[in-house]
Amino acid sequence: MPAGTLYRGREGMWSWVAHRVTGVLIFFFLFAHVLDTALVRVSPQAYNSTIATYKTWPVNLMEYGLTAAILFHALNGLRVIAVDFWARGPKYQRQMLWTVVTVWVLCMAGAFYPILQATLRDWFG
């Protein structure tokens, strides 16, 4: 590739990518959730089996990831609204992104034990 043709975006590009990725992940979760809930009408036994798999540690880790995706998507969405509708939004978009990341990290740290307590108890007693 010739020099200078590869776009090396900064924070704005990476927040755009993260916003799209988290949106897609949330969509697929909602799709799976609708399907597994609809399963109760087809076969209650299959539904109970599916729900039992949700009580395993890999799914618990995915729940923490889902929480991370939803929280980042929501906070970044508020930032996007501020950038779009506040006259000074574009000027402060980078500072707002770092504020979003800071709030996200603090919230995820606070959510760590409440969400993962069953898995942590299974692993460490």
Side-chain angles (χ1 to χ4, degrees), residues 19-68:
H19 197 76
R20 296 316 183 270
V21 168
T22 56
V24 169
L25 291 173
I26 293 165
F27 170 79
F28 282 121
F29 163 76
L30 290 174
F31 183 71
H33 180 62
V34 168
L35 288 179
D36 72 13
T37 303
L39 191 59
V40 75
R41 306 229 343 126
V42 177
S43 170
Q45 294 81 13
Y47 174 78
N48 289 335
S49 175
T50 302
I51 295 303
T53 63
Y54 291 166
K55 297 177 182 175
T56 61
W57 69 264
V59 176
N60 191 225
L61 293 176
M62 288 189 285
E63 288 173 343
Y64 188 69
L66 176 64
T67 302

Side-chain angles (χ1 to χ4, degrees), residues 15 72 75-76 78-86 88-103:
S15 69
F72 179 81
L75 292 171
N76 193 54
L78 294 174
R79 184 189 72 84
V80 169
I81 290 169
V83 169
D84 286 347
F85 292 108
W86 180 35
R88 292 185 171 175
K91 179 180 178 184
Y92 293 110
Q93 69 90 19
R94 182 173 293 147
Q95 291 90 335
M96 287 189 289
L97 175 63
W98 287 113
T99 301
V100 162
V101 169
T102 302
V103 170

